[in-house]
């Protein structure tokens, strides 16, 4: 008895488009990781319960030594109100209502945080406190 051999087709996986997909994913992750805000001074933030996100137009940081920063630029205590007002005015050209994010250390003085809040409100900006 003679059995015929069945010729089966070899199945192939086309990987031509795999390179394109991997390249697009790589570019996506590279771009999204650079979108993290590099203009933030590291401070130990207090804990909070609300989970609302605000666009970080202007970031005012107060570290544990009571030093002020707008972005990463150090600002003298006596010039803080003027610098916040100037930053809000500059940001108004691109955003209707800029937001000032206060990034204060847990051991920074409450009075200084309140002072930044008042300055931002007087300049016409929305005020947000950054918490963990």
């Amino acid at each position: 008895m003679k059995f015929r051999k069945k010729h089966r087709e070899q199945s192939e996986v086309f990987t031509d488009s795999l390179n394109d997909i991997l390249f697009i994913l790589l570019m996506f992750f590279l771009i999204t990781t650079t979108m993290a805000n590099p203009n933030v001074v590291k401070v130990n933030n207090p804990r909070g319960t609300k989970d609302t996100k605000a666009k970080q137009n202007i970031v005012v940081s107060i570290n544990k030594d009571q030093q002020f920063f707008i972005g990463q630029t150090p600002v003298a205590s006596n010039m803080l109100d003027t610098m916040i007002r100037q930053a809000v005015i500059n940001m108004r050209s691109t955003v209707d209502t800029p937001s000032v994010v206060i990034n204060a250390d847990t051991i920074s003085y409450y009075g200084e945080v309140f002072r930044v809040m008042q300055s931002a409100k007087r300049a016409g900006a929305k005020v947000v406190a950054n918490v963990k």
Side-chain angles (χ1 to χ4, degrees), residues 29-40 42 56 59 72:
F29 288 120
L30 285 174
I31 291 171
T32 55
T33 56
T34 58
M35 293 180 99
N37 196 349
N39 296 328
V40 177
K42 285 288 198 187
Q56 296 185 0
V59 179
Q72 286 189 330

Side-chain angles (χ1 to χ4, degrees), residues 36-53:
N37 196 349
N39 296 328
V40 177
V41 176
K42 285 288 198 187
V43 295
N44 188 15
N45 291 329
R47 299 227 179 259
T49 57
K50 283 210 168 183
D51 189 24
T52 55
K53 303 285 182 192

